[in-house]
Amino acid sequence: MYKPSLNDYVKWNKGVEGWVYFAEKEYITIETKVFPKDEQNVQACSLHRNNRVLVLCYKEQWEQLEYVGHRVNKYSEEILLEK
């Protein structure tokens, strides 16, 4: 069975696809969208400049994931096919 890793790009049979943003032994989150905060929100919390939409996927559902590729680090958007 495929075990997802941080920075893998996956497709889920529920129509969800994106980067594995967080990975732990019981669940992962899949980042499906990133968009910039407005200036007021950046001033209120400057720790992150973007909002993220994350979907939760539990270990029992990992068999439904399809590995597409991975990226070198969280700043890259290029999908590398070789693992």
Side-chain angles (χ1 to χ4, degrees), residues 3 22-28 58-59 62:
K3 182 180 178 191
F22 177 82
E24 178 207 70
K25 64 180 184 176
E26 294 300 319
Y27 69 91
I28 63 168
Y58 289 101
K59 185 176 184 176
W62 291 355

Side-chain angles (χ1 to χ4, degrees), residues 5-79:
S5 298
L6 192 63
N7 293 318
D8 283 355
Y9 193 90
V10 296
K11 289 184 180 181
W12 192 5
N13 67 4
K14 298 187 179 303
V16 172
E17 68 179 83
W19 298 105
V20 175
Y21 187 78
F22 177 82
E24 178 207 70
K25 64 180 184 176
E26 294 300 319
Y27 69 91
I28 63 168
T29 59
I30 302 168
E31 178 186 73
T32 61
K33 185 175 181 179
V34 178
F35 55 96
K37 290 181 177 180
D38 61 31
E39 197 54 42
Q40 182 180 5
N41 283 313
V42 170
Q43 290 176 4
C45 179
S46 61
L47 183 63
H48 301 287
R49 297 196 63 83
N50 293 313
N51 290 308
R52 289 177 162 66
V53 177
L54 302 173
V55 176
L56 186 63
C57 180
Y58 289 101
K59 185 176 184 176
E60 297 79 23
Q61 300 164 310
W62 291 355
E63 64 189 27
Q64 301 167 5
L65 294 175
E66 174 190 344
Y67 172 81
V68 176
H70 69 283
R71 61 184 173 187
V72 177
N73 59 47
K74 66 182 180 180
Y75 303 108
S76 175
E77 289 299 318
E78 180 183 5
I79 300 174

